[in-house]
Amino acid sequence: MSLTFDVRRNPTPASEERRAAIHANPGFGVFFTDHMVRAVWTRSGGWGDGRVEPYGPIQLMPSAAVLHYAQEIFEGLKAYRHADGSVWSFRPEANAERMQRSARRLALPELPTEDFLGSLRALLAVDEPWVPPAGTGETSLYLRPFVFASEAFLGVRPANEVTYCLIASPAGAYFSGGLKPVTLWISQHYARAGAGGTGAAKTGGNYASSLAGQLEGIEHGCDQAVFLDSSTQTYIEELGGMNLFFVTRDNRLVTPELTGTILEGVTRSSILELAKDLGLDPEERRIPIEEWKEGVASGEIREVFACGTAAVVTPVGELRWEGGSAPSTAGESGGEVTNAIRSALLDVQYGRSEDTHGWLTRLA
Ligand code: COI
């Protein structure tokens, strides 16, 4: 039986003026809507106690397993308002299924797809006015589902009590500089994930382990770090929060193949499908970091970009490493192919072009 969500309305919701002020300048991940969804799973009873309740602090025992052993997963997707006022999300089933795969890797219970989608609809039923108005550029409502071990127990084993939450946050551009190419640092001392580890799962630990590399990059004047395979330090993996793509001189669109250590990005897989519509030849394979350095020098690599739900498609500029750098191929605001892919994705998401792949699901 599918989960139901009892609604307990926030007695002090934000005023219309406050919401409008947030929509005018949402930033990323700073402001949150009036409500959240919560459900609890127990080993004996399965999923239950679904509710929509006022957004606010979660009470946890200091011994809650997630705080000690990081048994946690999350997702990220967006709700977009179309010109007719309707609200849509982009391939939410793909997020639901990825959350199930992440759950299996982290020994957490799987939330069925219909309950994942049900929770999105339940939250949007009360917080729909928080989806930014159409025609305000690239603003959307970022949806953050997450699952964590809430059982108060310090033994190391899969938790017997787990909590699912969904929160939502109006979002503008992920990078505060707007659509400016990001400079990348090759992380040679720190890996993000290793063979057999949790790299393909969307779990907080992967993001935590990317931070030291990112800090090192910032110390070298870069915006983000690019991680290499931990076994040989040879092959390009991802940025920690985004997948990478290369556009070649002969219109191939090349991205690191999924090896189990890379996040299976929904934006990544959508771009691989869109590539064909745009006359590009998609290619998934292992890409040595040397190929990037040499390809920029020889002109074989025309453009590099990063992608993810939050930042959509972001041009990549200069690549730096200890003792060297490769110049940007991105110009002031990204190459032609990068921007064509970015527009093609956004046009589908905001309902400005036909959804020929059947990627949109109406939420409100
Ligand atoms: C995404 O863009 O999907 C990400 O994973 C970035 C997010 C963790 C802020």
Side-chain angles (χ1 to χ4, degrees):
M1 213 182 66
S2 56
L3 257 179
T4 52
F5 300 94
D6 290 344
V7 180
R8 300 166 203 183
R9 286 225 169 228
N10 188 329
T12 53
S15 67
E16 237 179 278
E17 293 72 31
R18 170 81 182 135
R19 238 182 5 244
I22 291 171
H23 283 161
N25 192 11
F28 182 86
V30 189
F31 303 105
F32 297 90
T33 65
D34 294 317
H35 298 89
M36 59 192 273
V37 168
R38 197 192 312 214
V40 176
W41 175 93
T42 59
R43 197 165 295 284
S44 51
W47 287 107
D49 201 15
R51 48 203 147 118
V52 175
E53 60 189 12
Y55 176 86
I58 298 172
Q59 273 211 340
L60 273 185
M61 284 299 180
S63 51
V66 65
L67 300 177
H68 304 271
Y69 310 126
Q71 197 193 3
E72 182 272 352
I73 54 175
F74 68 96
E75 271 303 321
L77 69 168
K78 287 174 171 172
Y80 309 89
R81 193 176 299 279
H82 288 190
D84 65 358
S86 56
V87 175
W88 300 76
S89 68
F90 183 77
R91 306 184 68 188
E93 317 74 22
N95 293 93
E97 286 160 17
R98 185 172 63 187
M99 200 165 90
Q100 290 154 9
R101 292 196 295 278
S102 298
R104 288 197 287 275
R105 180 62 186 85
L106 271 290
L108 283 162
E110 294 175 39
L111 185 71
T113 301
E114 61 172 314
D115 294 332
F116 181 93
L117 298 178
S119 73
L120 303 182
R121 291 207 168 88
L123 188 62
L124 264 296
V126 292
D127 278 344
E128 182 269 341
W130 281 93
V131 182
T136 47
E138 277 172 34
T139 52
S140 60
L141 186 66
Y142 184 77
L143 303 167
R144 169 56 63 89
F146 56 106
V147 178
F148 60 94
S150 45
E151 183 187 0
F153 179 62
L154 290 185
V156 180
R157 59 142 170 79
N160 288 332
E161 185 207 289
V162 162
T163 298
Y164 168 72
C165 288
L166 166 66
I167 56 174
S169 170
Y174 181 69
F175 292 113
S176 51
L179 198 58
K180 209 167 87 253
V182 289
T183 299
L184 299 188
W185 172 254
I186 304 178
S187 175
Q188 287 170 301
H189 303 297
Y190 304 107
R192 170 188 168 273
T198 57
K202 205 158 174 74
T203 180
N206 294 337
Y207 295 78
S209 73
S210 77
L211 297 179
Q214 186 178 328
L215 260 187
E216 194 185 75
I218 290 168
E219 281 158 17
H220 288 84
C222 297
D223 303 300
Q224 296 280 315
V226 53
F227 294 94
L228 305 178
D229 77 285
S230 65
S231 322
T232 69
Q233 290 280 305
T234 305
Y235 299 101
I236 300 164
E237 299 231 300
E238 57 157 280
L239 299 197
M242 283 189 281
N243 296 116
L244 269 173
F245 277 92
F246 300 85
V247 183
T248 66
R249 182 155 45 192
D250 57 354
N251 288 330
R252 281 173 297 123
L253 185 66
V254 192
T255 194
E257 70 182 3
L258 302 175
T259 51
T261 53
I262 297 175
L263 188 82
E264 300 167 12
V266 176
T267 312
R268 175 190 178 279
S269 84
S270 309
I271 288 174
L272 285 170
E273 287 194 45
L274 273 179
K276 297 165 210 154
D277 304 347
L278 296 171
L280 298 160
D281 209 359
E283 202 172 290
E284 293 174 80
R285 62 172 168 82
R286 305 209 86 182
I287 309 168
I289 188 70
E290 289 308 314
E291 186 176 331
W292 185 348
K293 298 177 186 172
E294 287 161 15
V296 169
S298 68
E300 180 59 27
I301 291 177
R302 266 169 68 192
E303 296 176 29
V304 186
F305 65 85
C307 70
T309 299
V312 195
V313 166
T314 299
V316 170
E318 193 186 338
L319 177 68
R320 293 186 193 165
W321 59 92
E322 253 159 36
S325 69
S328 171
T329 52
E332 285 281 293
S333 56
E336 192 188 330
V337 177
T338 301
N339 288 324
I341 290 175
R342 184 181 168 83
S343 302
L345 261 179
L346 290 171
D347 284 349
V348 175
Q349 291 169 339
Y350 286 92
R352 297 188 292 252
S353 69
E354 201 190 332
D355 176 22
T356 52
H357 295 273
W359 281 336
L360 297 185
T361 295
R362 186 161 181 180
L363 291 183

